[in-house]
Every structure is written in structure tokens, then in C-alpha cells.
Amino acid sequence: MTTLWLVRHGETVDNARQLMQGQTQGQLNAKGFEQAEALAQRLATEPVGAFVASDLRRAIQTAEVLARPHGKTVVTTPLLRERDWGDFTGRYIPDLKGAAWPDNVESIDDLQARARRFLDWVRACYPNQLVVAVGHGIINKAIQAVHFQKKMREVERMMNCDVRMLEL
């Protein structure tokens, strides 16, 4: 059985500014690096077989900090990218309350299909290993919803550098 530890990236400059990042690269801020370092210390003695991350900078930066004590490299995949927020990308989140959703926001069906592909990929590539996967808030929620066969609204929000364990 593969064990997946799903991690949300550390805090970014845009998280702190409450901007919708979507699939932009993002950049960890000082707090984000501190969060990643603290988590790296907690995971330092765990028998991690692989570290994977979204191919967006903020996830890669977090995963590299986590992988460093293990002397491992980080494998990236676009399957772990954050939801594509279309025209909402870059907008101030409090201003979006009640706003009409643009047609170019990635649908929940497409997001969950990507989450399924990610889970299948992890099972195929890392059988019987502990895998630490650094993604983003909404894709991580979709992965958990698919895995636990829940609605996304039933999955608790992940804060920066939170970890959730899934047995695949």
C-alpha cells in the first residue's frame, strides 16, 4: 500500500495579500519558508520514498525544503497544479464574494478528474512507498474528496504546510 502525505505549500506573498493565485508561480514569503522548515524537521526521520510537487514555484520551493534532510530530489507534475481560476486569477479574494463566476474557471468535474489522474499516477509510480506530495489548497481538497468519496465542501480546508494522510 502506498501512503500519501498531502501537503499544502507554505505561505506566499500573494496568500498574505489575499490574492487569488491559481496557476501563477507564486513565491514563498519568510513565513512560508519558516513553515516549510518546521515541517521538514517533523518529517526528517520519516522513511519518505519520494517527494513530488506541483510544477508551480511555491510548491516546488516548499517540497525542496522538505526533501533536503532526506537528500532527495523533487519530482514535479502539472497534475498537482492549483485550480485554474481563469479571470479571477490575481484578484483580491474579499472582492470576489458574490461575484459572477467567469466561464474560464476550471470546472469541479475537470479538477476532480485531474485529482483521480494524480492518485492513479502516485499508485503506479510509487507502489508501497511513503510519498510526500506538495500541492495547493483546492487541488488537495479535490484529491481528498475523490479519495474519500466526499463532496469537496465536506473536506476541511488545509492551511499552509498542513499535512493530510491518505492510504492508497
Side-chain angles (χ1 to χ4, degrees), residues 7 9 21 32 77 80 95 123 126 130 134 153 156 162:
V7 177
H9 61 78
Q21 292 175 98
T77 175
L80 265 178
D95 288 348
R123 282 186 202 98
Y126 304 104
L130 170 56
V134 181
R153 68 177 173 270
E156 186 179 341
D162 272 356

Side-chain angles (χ1 to χ4, degrees), residues 3 40 48 58 61-62 74 85 89 94-95 108 113 126 132 135 149 160:
T3 301
V48 179
R58 59 195 188 266
Q61 288 175 319
T62 303
V74 174
W85 287 105
T89 302
D95 288 348
I108 292 295
Y126 304 104
V132 173
Q149 298 179 345
N160 295 110

Side-chain angles (χ1 to χ4, degrees), residues 1-3 49-50 119-131 168:
M1 180 178 330
T2 299
T3 301
L119 289 169
D120 291 343
W121 176 77
V122 170
R123 282 186 202 98
C125 293
Y126 304 104
N128 303 310
Q129 293 184 51
L130 170 56
V131 177
L168 308 183

Side-chain angles (χ1 to χ4, degrees), residues 6-31:
L6 200 55
V7 177
R8 182 177 176 207
H9 61 78
E11 185 179 270
T12 67
V13 172
D14 286 345
N15 287 147
R17 295 171 58 206
Q18 297 186 63
L19 297 179
M20 186 69 78
Q21 292 175 98
Q23 294 189 359
T24 61
Q25 291 296 325
Q27 171 69 37
L28 293 186
N29 62 16
K31 182 178 179 181

